[in-house]
Amino acid sequence: MLLPQIKQPSDLKSMSQDDLALLSAEIRQFLIEKLSVTGGHLAPNLGVVELTVALHYCYNSPADKMIFDVGHQAYVHKVLTGRMDRFDTLRQHNGLCGFVKRNESEHDVWEAGHSSTSLSAAMGMALARDLKGEDNQVIAMIGDGALTGGMAFEALNHIGHEQRKLMVILNDNEMSIAPNVGAMHKYLSKIRSDRHYLKAKDDVEGILKKIPAIGDRLAKSASWIKDSVKYMMVPGVLFEELGFTYLGPIDGHDIPKLIETFKQADNVDGPVLVHVLTTKGKGYQPAEADSHKWHGISPYKIESGQVLKAVGKPMYTEVFGQTLIDLAKQDKRIVAVTPAMPTGSGLIPFSKEFPDRMIDVGIAEQHAATMCAALAMEGLKPVFAVYSTFMQRAYDQIVHDICRHNANVMFAIDRAGFVGPDGETHQGVYDVAFMRHIPNIVLMMPKDENELRHMMKTALDYNEGPIAYRYPRNNVVGVPLDDVLVSIPIGSWEQLRPSDGYAVIASGSMVQLAEEAAEMVKREGITAGVINARFLKPLDEQMLRDLAVRGTKLIVLEETSQAGSMGSAVLEFYAEQGLHDVHVQLMGIPDRFIEHGSIKEQREEVGLTVENVCAELRKMAVQSSYGIPKTRFPS
């Protein structure tokens, strides 16, 4: 066994290329075994085993900077950099992160959970190197899916202009999470299908050099002849026209060829793009056969590939997807839009039912948002189905193109709240803060799946501007579903339990937690009301006034960033009304990033538990024994 001998990347240097191939096979088997227990991003990592081994063989991390786009395909890198013994804790609370993590290892020089950032990071590190007078290598790895992101094109343009020495590895497996879409995907397909390009280019240069006396000079000056071959063999030659030396495409599972190509790249004084063809899920038949399903996977049986999912209630995502189909059958204006997440957003059934009304734009949230604004202006009803964490990337477009135009775009914000093992880069806890302050938008969050369905009907019937409904990465509550969907009055809250001096104003999944807490303290003689704050914007101002007049002490409970939250909005409302003696306690997520673990563990870490809500209610009861006068509105 070779793998136990690898404690750090330098241990690879003395190995033969045959040993590197054997080591790659052992790493592949190690990942298959470990992830069968923990789950994780299996297919992407099986596809980059040889590529990562070859990189660490050729370069000297951490002096040489290896930058992984997204970082979910860096498990092999983690194995080779001394973290093999921690893989049993992968994506678990206080365990090994499922992405690159700077505080885990000096070899993790750039961390990201969103795509298309590696090229900009590489350019920054290459500039820093040159400004400091250093001579290390900078290597950025990016997938063909991530290359659809606009930020990647901005970086390619700048890198080609600056001509700094760095290497971009285009890991081309024809997939991101879902099958890739767009012109870049088609362009790369053309390159993949023509293996004669580099040979033809080299042959022309070789022929020129053989001409007596003037051959070498002619080969250097007759670039137009070589360029004509490029244009003939590869339509567009996009990368070379952007200023890169293009090498490839090469087999990303052929270690000798990878090593040879990296040596060629090192001889180029400027940016190089190495086009590597890999097979996602390589070496594990179920993952190779369906790399889409096995991109991110739950624990599974190795022999059969059977995924060990617990049988239970459906996810909110599934309810959203089916309800959207039901509504689309009634309203032909509905168009679903997703930024490369048709499966994760529950839209595969919709795409089969309405293929012409399903638009996957690739990893391009900004484009998706602005396009939705235009669709709405032309009288359609676009539903922008997007994870909360990915919607962050379209903030300017939401402000400038959707809300400023008051475009009637419907936002279906998935993974709102804690997301569990994906951790801090994917937590959906900031969208309320960055959307609540934008004029014209309506924000909703349901207490259960039945209310989600009515909110979707509400959004469809709403014609006065943008409207959003958020829902969590959880299984549904399990309530009966109404056959007939009706609109909910905009800005109206729902009193679920009567109050006697105390009330918990809760949103989304926190409503159930509030009800459990109210039931517990009821046994102690404390009657706490529970209010379903289903509209985060606008607030139910009349209910807030009534609560203040009655002198009700309030807890605002929400699984979102406390800064900029609905709780902040409640405090702002009372301040505007001149009511400075209303007792309002905020319970949300503190001003720090929350790392990976289970959703239950993440809630416990920040105090969003039944026990903590009960403790706050008990404190209020003790304070009330001193007597506080009821609030009176200014005349």
Side-chain angles (χ1 to χ4, degrees), residues 77-143:
H77 167 76
K78 289 176 184 267
V79 169
L80 297 174
T81 53
R83 286 167 276 181
M84 184 172 59
D85 59 347
R86 297 186 62 198
F87 259 78
D88 290 333
T89 70
L90 183 70
R91 290 161 50 90
Q92 297 176 32
H93 194 236
N94 294 325
L96 203 62
C97 181
F99 299 89
V100 175
K101 188 75 173 167
R102 284 173 59 88
N103 65 11
E104 261 185 23
S105 170
E106 64 178 347
H107 299 279
D108 290 8
V109 299
W110 177 257
E111 61 182 63
H114 295 176
S115 79
S116 313
T117 67
S118 62
L119 303 188
S120 298
M123 183 59 185
M125 290 186 184
L127 281 167
R129 173 201 62 202
D130 294 348
L131 289 169
K132 293 188 293 183
E134 298 172 349
D135 63 354
N136 60 285
Q137 300 284 352
V138 177
I139 305 119
M141 284 149 277
I142 187 167

Side-chain angles (χ1 to χ4, degrees), residues 157-361:
N157 180 61
H158 188 213
I159 293 168
H161 171 75
E162 285 283 341
Q163 287 294 296
R164 304 282 175 169
K165 184 175 178 62
L166 62 83
M167 181 167 67
V168 173
I169 297 175
L170 173 56
N171 175 30
D172 184 357
N173 56 29
E174 304 188 57
M175 291 281 287
S176 50
I177 298 174
N180 289 326
V181 297
M184 175 56 71
H185 170 61
K186 293 178 181 177
Y187 172 76
L188 293 174
S189 295
K190 289 181 181 179
I191 297 178
R192 287 185 215 107
S193 63
D194 197 324
R195 306 302 179 92
H196 305 295
Y197 159 55
L198 278 180
K199 185 176 186 304
K201 179 182 174 183
D202 292 341
D203 285 351
V204 169
E205 190 166 355
I207 292 169
L208 291 173
K209 286 182 176 179
K210 290 179 182 177
I211 299 175
I214 61 169
D216 285 338
R217 191 165 64 252
L218 188 60
K220 291 178 181 178
S221 63
S223 61
W224 65 271
I225 298 178
K226 291 182 284 181
D227 285 343
S228 69
V229 173
K230 290 191 293 183
Y231 281 107
M232 178 178 69
M233 301 305 294
V234 182
V237 256
L238 173 65
F239 301 114
E240 294 229 2
E241 291 303 314
L242 282 172
F244 287 78
T245 297
Y246 173 85
L247 301 177
I250 64 170
D251 182 353
H253 304 293
D254 184 337
I255 288 178
K257 185 63 177 176
L258 287 166
I259 293 171
E260 176 190 344
T261 304
F262 293 156
K263 289 178 179 177
Q264 292 175 7
D266 290 343
N267 292 327
V268 177
D269 188 19
V272 179
L273 187 138
V274 179
H275 186 180
V276 176
L277 304 182
T278 60
T279 300
K280 202 170 182 182
K282 177 77 172 178
Y284 183 53
Q285 194 279 327
E288 282 195 47
D290 190 353
S291 58
H292 187 186
K293 170 185 173 182
W294 288 81
H295 173 84
I297 199 72
S298 301
Y300 55 90
K301 292 182 179 179
I302 297 175
E303 297 77 12
S304 64
Q306 178 187 350
V307 179
L308 304 175
K309 283 189 175 180
V311 177
K313 301 166 187 171
M315 303 287 286
Y316 275 90
T317 303
E318 297 173 59
V319 174
F320 158 75
Q322 183 55 55
T323 305
L324 190 62
I325 291 174
D326 296 340
L327 293 173
K329 289 177 179 177
Q330 303 167 22
D331 194 326
K332 295 181 179 179
R333 297 174 299 165
I334 290 177
V335 178
V337 177
T338 178
M341 297 300 295
T343 300
S345 294
L347 290 174
I348 294 298
F350 183 94
S351 68
K352 293 176 180 177
E353 187 87 24
F354 306 106
D356 294 338
R357 294 158 65 184
M358 166 74 183
I359 304 170
D360 184 350
V361 300

